[in-house]
Amino acid sequence: MATEEQRLMDLARTVPAILLLVGTSGKAVANIKCARELFAGKKWGFDDSDDPESPPSNTDRGGNGSIGGEPVETTTTGGGDHSGSGVPSKSKTTGGSQAQASLLRGVSVDSGGYWADVLASALAPGEGHLPVAYREITRLVSLHAEAGHVFVNCAARLGLHPDDDDDDGNGARIGLQPDRAARWKRWMDLREAAVCHAHDALLALSSAAAAATAAEDFLRWRSNESPRREGWRSAARQLVKDARRSLGEATDAARLMRDAVLCEFFVTWVILTRA
């Protein structure tokens, strides 16, 4: 093989390694999973029992179906003792934390800041799970696109495309090879599928981020004096539920993207080894 052909073949053989890197990356899915755990129904007070990735709703050691484990005391003011004196009174709940019990049971309107911070942690530009997952998928899409560009150009110069005429060694043209055409069609279909799934994952992440941001605003900026403050809490809970559903869609799409890229990896090797 001529020096130029060898150089092109060596370059083309770097493509499967890139595809394997993209197809086995778990960073995006891991961060989406962490975000979904922050938005779990058992924490926010909605039913997600139909979600196969949700933990059992009864996670307390007592087995009584309550939300948390050990009872905690929460403090209310302004009539918590039904006397109207405003003297703080204590009540027992079975929530896992005071803030959790406050959101789910409406004990205190002052816990919204805690839950707003939970949402903000998932949305933080630097290390928040949603931005990290979005950046990782974007990075993988870029790697995937560059690998495809390199492979197509190398294949064109090496005569590996299905419409490149070959000869039988004696100068006679043998024309289009059906097996080669089928392999290239499979390769292109897999690339298109990977791009579509990545696009779906990014859209779902954007939807989740929008819902979580709106929920954070509801919890952080609502007025404690508003007669509709209970409705705001309910609206925030629904937005978190929507965000969790979108994250489930993002997880599925990201996994389908990886599956398509792994299949593309194998087809790429077949094209190269049968060149």
Side-chain angles (χ1 to χ4, degrees):
M1 183 179 290
T3 302
E4 178 64 12
E5 289 181 325
Q6 184 63 55
R7 186 187 69 81
L8 289 171
M9 182 58 73
D10 290 343
L11 182 59
R13 285 172 177 162
T14 65
V15 171
I18 298 174
L19 295 178
L20 188 61
L21 173 66
V22 174
T24 57
S25 174
K27 184 176 180 180
V29 172
N31 275 275
I32 296 172
K33 182 178 180 180
C34 289
R36 295 194 80 223
E37 290 174 355
L38 289 177
F39 300 165
K42 67 173 184 176
K43 296 181 179 180
W44 291 87
F46 58 81
D47 181 17
D48 58 1
S49 58
D50 58 342
D51 185 346
E53 295 190 8
S54 292
S57 58
N58 182 12
T59 57
D60 67 302
R61 285 174 284 180
N64 60 2
S66 59
I67 295 170
E70 298 299 323
V72 296
E73 290 187 346
T74 58
T75 302
T76 61
T77 60
D81 58 355
H82 303 289
S83 65
S85 63
V87 178
S89 62
K90 292 184 178 180
S91 60
K92 293 282 188 176
T93 78
T94 53
S97 68
Q98 178 174 344
Q100 183 176 9
S102 297
L103 182 74
L104 301 183
R105 303 178 185 277
V107 175
S108 170
V109 296
D110 296 327
S111 61
Y114 170 86
W115 291 100
D117 289 343
V118 170
L119 294 170
S121 69
L123 296 164
E127 298 299 326
H129 295 305
L130 270 66
V132 168
Y134 195 98
R135 289 196 301 269
E136 177 64 8
I137 293 176
T138 302
R139 183 182 75 89
L140 296 177
V141 168
S142 297
L143 283 174
H144 181 251
E146 187 62 27
H149 179 74
V150 169
F151 189 67
V152 167
N153 279 277
C154 289
R157 298 175 66 178
L158 289 168
L160 301 181
H161 283 182
D163 54 351
D164 291 331
D165 289 337
D166 285 338
D167 60 57
D168 60 2
N170 298 315
R173 311 304 291 181
I174 59 178
L176 184 66
Q177 300 182 40
D179 289 345
R180 180 185 290 184
R183 288 193 293 270
W184 272 97
K185 184 180 185 307
R186 175 64 173 160
W187 185 83
M188 290 185 289
D189 288 346
L190 288 169
R191 285 192 63 78
E192 182 179 358
V195 171
C196 289
H197 292 315
H199 181 258
D200 291 343
L202 293 174
L203 281 179
L205 282 172
S206 295
S207 296
T213 300
E216 180 193 356
D217 288 344
F218 267 116
L219 292 170
R220 196 179 298 282
W221 304 116
R222 77 189 193 289
S223 170
N224 291 342
E225 288 74 31
S226 171
R228 297 183 179 179
R229 62 183 180 275
E230 294 300 325
W232 291 12
R233 184 184 293 112
S234 176
R237 183 183 292 114
Q238 181 60 50
L239 286 166
V240 172
K241 185 176 182 179
D242 293 343
R244 181 176 169 81
R245 183 181 63 250
S246 293
L247 288 175
E249 295 170 358
T251 301
D252 292 341
R255 287 172 174 166
L256 288 171
M257 177 196 75
R258 294 190 312 183
D259 291 346
V261 174
L262 283 176
C263 291
E264 182 187 345
F265 159 80
F266 288 110
V267 175
T268 302
W269 263 122
V270 170
I271 292 174
L272 288 174
T273 55
R274 298 186 182 180

